Amino acid sequence: MSAWSKQGLVFDTARQGVGGWMRHSALTPTPYRLDDELIRVYAGFRDAEGVSRIGYVDVRADDPAAVVRVSAEPVLDIGRAGCFDDNGMILGDVVDAPGGLHLFYVGFQRVARAKFLAFSGLAVSRDGGNCFRRVQETPILDRAPGRSSIAAVHTAMYEDGRWRLWYAVGDDWETIGGQPFPRYHIRHVETGDLAVIPREDRVCLRPQGSEYRIGRPRVYRRDGGYVMLFTRGNVTGEYFPGVATSDDGIAWERHDEMLGIALSADGWDSRTLCYPALIRQRDKLLMFYNGNDMGMDGFGVAEADAIHFDGGAHVRG
């Protein structure tokens, strides 16, 4: 794909955050261009109890390691007690579409006999992304056969009046060291109405070998097809991105060797590297990502030449 040049930990949440609801972590950082000068990175920031709320960090487009502004309050707070998102959320995707800026997110709920449940919600902003309001208090992608515990949208494309969604689906748990970890894989569905998402979907990728989970699909158009970045975990504790390509966005071939980035020798991304999301900045691609402990420290950024992105992919930005 390309060789990535790491720019370091851009946002150290414990040091640069506003405290309170933003005490640590910056889960699944997702870039969105505000204008020629600013890129807004939405993420899930955790409080002292580990409950995450959606906020943002604005960085300079021409110097993405330079933080300009941090949201003082969440743009989307946790849901009402008893709802699917009452124990936190992570970012799925942010998409301009008719009616406003659509924020797809994954809400978490604690239950007695499972580690958690995670289903997809939708909120819309009509002020340019400073505040979002839920379209409903229930998930837009909820339980169905084969997705009893997880249905997590991480890419949404709106084209020609229809939505294409790529998401992680979980139905059981892997026991590692006596602790349960979610098993999941990646699926796809199309719909003309987000209020009526069909249950009939298609498998895109399943875990291979010692992997037990593969998720956080970030899908981008490229000349004549698609490329996907995802994150894969195996039973020995490795957690690292992979790459797949597709002609139609449904049938995928893995090419993990194309990624072009590695763990650092030490520091915040020396043990794991996960949840990459891309945005174009002129002739560069920027990759925002998390490191150790699924983003405990915050998020970083890496740069690459856009012309080397496997034939000239169309990346939003």
Side-chain angles (χ1 to χ4, degrees):
M1 181 184 290
S2 189
W4 294 92
S5 173
K6 293 183 177 181
Q7 305 301 302
L9 183 64
V10 171
F11 187 72
D12 182 336
T13 309
R15 183 174 62 84
Q16 297 170 278
V18 299
W21 67 277
M22 188 189 285
R23 189 169 297 276
H24 67 84
S25 302
L27 307 169
T28 58
T30 305
Y32 171 77
R33 182 174 295 281
L34 291 180
D35 52 39
D36 289 342
E37 297 181 353
L38 291 177
I39 293 171
R40 174 162 291 180
V41 183
Y42 289 101
F45 301 94
R46 283 177 164 162
D47 63 18
E49 303 297 322
V51 176
S52 57
R53 295 161 174 83
I54 303 299
Y56 64 78
V57 176
D58 291 344
V59 300
R60 285 178 47 185
D62 62 353
D63 181 7
V67 173
V68 176
R69 182 168 51 240
V70 179
S71 56
E73 302 292 339
V75 299
L76 185 67
D77 211 330
I78 59 173
R80 184 167 55 88
C83 291
F84 78 102
D85 52 359
D86 66 359
N87 200 63
M89 62 264 291
I90 60 175
L91 223 296
D93 205 355
V94 182
V95 182
D96 271 320
L101 186 61
H102 289 56
L103 186 150
F104 297 81
Y105 69 97
V106 182
F108 288 84
Q109 188 172 34
R110 298 287 297 275
V111 294
R113 296 186 179 274
K115 191 172 184 178
F116 60 79
L117 302 178
F119 296 102
S120 295
L122 175 64
V124 176
S125 174
R126 293 181 174 84
D127 66 358
N130 295 317
C131 181
F132 289 83
R133 182 167 296 182
R134 289 171 175 79
V135 299
Q136 60 191 43
E137 288 191 309
T138 53
I140 63 166
L141 192 65
D142 205 343
R143 295 186 189 204
R147 58 177 198 234
S148 61
S149 54
I150 297 173
V153 172
H154 282 290
T155 294
M157 288 187 183
Y158 184 76
E159 299 174 327
D160 301 321
R162 293 186 61 80
W163 289 93
R164 299 192 73 180
L165 306 176
W166 289 266
Y167 49 94
V169 168
D171 198 43
D172 59 354
W173 306 82
E174 181 83 14
T175 300
I176 303 175
Q179 298 296 318
F181 292 85
R183 296 176 58 88
Y184 46 81
H185 64 277
I186 297 169
R187 301 180 76 96
H188 166 271
V189 74
E190 294 188 35
T191 183
D193 185 353
L194 291 172
V196 189
I197 299 176
R199 289 194 172 191
E200 298 75 22
D201 58 10
R202 302 283 295 275
V203 173
C204 293
L205 289 173
R206 293 188 182 274
Q208 298 178 355
S210 64
E211 297 169 351
Y212 67 95
R213 55 181 172 178
I214 178 171
R216 223 278 162 144
R218 296 294 298 165
V219 177
Y220 304 96
R221 277 198 171 276
R222 63 171 188 161
D223 293 344
Y226 302 82
V227 62
M228 178 197 294
L229 303 184
F230 54 87
T231 299
R232 51 198 170 94
N234 65 22
V235 295
T236 60
E238 294 174 327
Y239 204 51
F240 199 75
V243 181
T245 60
S246 173
D247 291 331
D248 59 6
I250 299 172
W252 294 83
E253 293 184 359
R254 284 180 61 166
H255 300 280
D256 296 344
E257 73 283 353
M258 292 169 50
L259 184 64
I261 196 169
L263 296 173
S264 296
D266 53 34
W268 71 280
D269 62 350
S270 59
R271 289 184 285 107
T272 60
L273 194 158
C274 53
Y275 311 141
L278 306 179
I279 192 168
R280 186 184 292 273
Q281 170 61 17
R282 297 192 175 92
D283 61 346
K284 298 286 187 181
L285 283 180
L286 307 179
M287 175 195 289
F288 292 88
Y289 67 96
N290 288 138
N292 302 340
D293 303 311
M294 300 182 181
M296 174 71 75
D297 293 309
F299 66 82
V301 69
E303 295 183 353
D305 291 333
I307 59 173
H308 297 306
F309 188 61
D310 197 19
H314 174 69
V315 179
R316 280 177 281 182

